[in-house]
Amino acid sequence: MENMLVGLAKNIVKGLSPKAEALLIFSLVACAIVLIWLKVNPWLACGFPSAAYLLYICRAERNDRHEVSMKELEITQLQLQNEVKLEQIKAKKLAQKKTGANVPVRNDPQASTKKSPVK
Amino acid sequence: VNGTFTLLQQFGAMMTYDTQILLPVAVAISICVVVAAYLKARSRRHRERLIELTVAHQALEAHYSAMKTLCSDGALSAPLLTMLVGMSHGLSSHRVAQYIVSEFTKGSLEHKRRTSSGDVDRELENLRKTRIDLYGEFEKAMKSGLIALLLRWPDTASAFKAFMAQSASDERVEVEATTKISRYVSKMDHKMSHSHSDMHDNGMVAA
């Protein structure tokens, strides 16, 4: 009898092992049944596994939200890194093209004091 | 089999004699289902948003790589360069994204209501004839910039599919959108510099 139950549990665990959440739900349901079987207060027996499951889901949701914020930060960082460079390159190129014109370079305080290359 | 049957009988007997046990079970299952459904829906939205942001990140990388190639090559004319850099400058602004989506929903990017000058078209045609490699980079910078701009913000990401569908059927939509973005960014810069100079005149910056 015990061997059969252990074998059954092993098979179920083996089948559910790729899905962590399903495995967790199975083990928590088994835990609740055992607690009820042991005549523990039924509110406690059901409340403990429920609380554990809800904590797991909350944590997973917070993890997803954190990943989104990290990605947003990554994008902002990439934009900040490249914007300044592009503005400087553009200003240089435009200054080369418009010969004689004094084009101010963004983020370059010396640009306004530069003399135009050709008059 | 007999053992299992006995076990089930015992459990059934316990459930029969103590029906009060059903109440906590029902309450626990109900709370778990409701809260889990809510949190799962939020998780799904976060995962979808993460996919959008990953695509936006890749598009931004492609945009900046194309921009570097275009800027380091001297063959690109000043109007095209100014247009692209203006667009690149506006990629980080939420207002620019909202503006382009509103223009798109109003139908301002459609063929009949276009306002872009022929200069850009001529320059583009010229570029396509003389430097096809740079023309490819120009298109890449434009497309990837628009993808990044639309997918960067959650409220504008919903317009992404419709925008891409229209741009697939009409290539000029992207050029029109880029021109509008560039003009809008230059207007914003102009306003900001004006307000800054006003503040300077009033002595607020010095204070």
Side-chain angles (χ1 to χ4, degrees):
Chain A
M1 171 65 197
E2 278 179 12
N3 285 342
M4 202 183 77
L5 278 178
V6 170
L8 182 69
K10 272 185 184 173
N11 274 334
I12 291 172
V13 169
K14 199 177 170 185
L16 294 177
S17 55
K19 295 175 182 174
E21 194 179 338
L23 192 62
L24 177 77
I25 291 172
F26 172 73
S27 51
L28 288 176
V29 168
C31 175
I33 290 171
V34 168
L35 287 176
I36 290 170
W37 187 264
L38 293 173
K39 307 255 183 216
V40 176
N41 182 348
W43 288 100
L44 279 178
C46 295
F48 161 68
S50 307
Y53 178 60
L54 292 180
L55 274 176
Y56 170 80
I57 294 190
C58 271
R59 207 205 110 277
E61 194 264 342
R62 228 169 40 195
N63 186 39
D64 288 341
R65 198 169 54 197
H66 176 70
E67 276 180 29
V68 169
S69 344
M70 289 307 290
K71 203 59 169 177
E72 277 177 349
L73 274 178
E74 233 175 84
I75 288 177
T76 311
Q77 200 179 3
L78 184 70
Q79 282 177 332
L80 285 175
Q81 277 173 358
N82 286 283
E83 259 182 26
V84 178
K85 280 182 201 168
L86 280 176
E87 283 290 330
Q88 286 171 350
I89 293 171
K90 176 210 163 191
K92 271 185 198 169
K93 289 286 164 189
L94 286 181
Q96 281 172 7
K97 280 180 194 291
K98 292 177 186 174
T99 48
N102 189 8
V103 180
V105 179
R106 205 182 271 240
N107 300 319
D108 187 0
Q110 291 177 340
S112 57
T113 57
K114 278 178 190 169
K115 285 183 181 174
S116 54
V118 182
K119 286 272 179 183
Chain B
V1 175
N2 284 336
T4 316
F5 186 68
T6 320
L7 202 70
L8 285 173
Q9 260 188 336
Q10 281 177 2
F11 192 73
M14 189 181 75
M15 297 298 281
T16 312
Y17 293 126
D18 193 5
T19 47
Q20 288 294 315
I21 210 169
L22 288 176
L23 183 65
V25 172
V27 169
I29 289 174
S30 319
I31 291 174
C32 277
V33 166
V34 171
V35 178
Y38 171 70
L39 290 174
K40 287 266 172 190
R42 278 177 66 105
S43 261
R44 203 179 311 120
R45 275 205 298 276
H46 290 319
R47 280 199 295 273
E48 283 168 6
R49 185 82 198 106
L50 186 65
I51 292 169
E52 284 170 4
L53 285 174
T54 309
V55 174
H57 189 262
Q58 287 168 352
L60 263 184
E61 278 177 342
H63 173 79
Y64 287 127
S65 122
M67 284 298 288
K68 272 173 198 160
T69 314
L70 288 167
C71 289
S72 56
D73 199 302
L76 200 68
S77 64
L80 293 182
L81 187 65
T82 312
M83 187 174 100
L84 267 189
V85 174
M87 180 207 191
S88 201
H89 188 54
L91 288 185
S92 55
S93 167
H94 189 194
R95 276 174 63 191
V96 174
Q98 283 173 329
Y99 165 74
I100 205 66
V101 168
S102 73
E103 288 292 306
F104 173 67
T105 46
K106 274 193 283 182
S108 303
L109 306 180
E110 283 172 14
H111 183 68
K112 295 171 198 165
R113 298 171 64 183
R114 274 174 195 154
T115 54
S116 62
S117 62
D119 286 354
V120 172
D121 292 339
R122 271 196 297 279
E123 293 287 350
L124 268 177
E125 190 55 32
N126 209 15
L127 187 71
R128 199 172 62 83
K129 279 177 188 164
T130 53
R131 292 288 304 270
I132 191 74
D133 55 327
L134 270 194
Y135 182 77
E137 288 294 315
F138 186 87
E139 276 207 320
K140 183 180 158 188
M142 218 165 44
K143 281 182 183 172
S144 54
L146 284 169
I147 291 171
L149 181 71
L150 290 176
L151 289 180
R152 172 75 178 81
W153 310 101
D155 55 334
T156 55
S158 53
F160 174 73
K161 282 180 190 169
F163 186 87
M164 283 298 131
Q166 195 178 340
S167 71
S169 59
D170 183 2
E171 286 178 1
R172 284 283 289 116
V173 168
E174 284 160 4
V175 179
E176 181 71 14
T178 311
T179 314
K180 277 188 182 291
I181 291 169
S182 176
R183 281 182 194 161
Y184 188 72
V185 169
S186 71
K187 260 188 210 170
M188 272 170 56
D189 280 355
H190 194 64
K191 270 185 193 172
M192 275 179 69
S193 63
H194 261 282
S195 62
H196 192 260
S197 64
D198 286 348
M199 280 168 70
H200 221 284
D201 291 344
N202 294 335
M204 286 170 79
V205 171

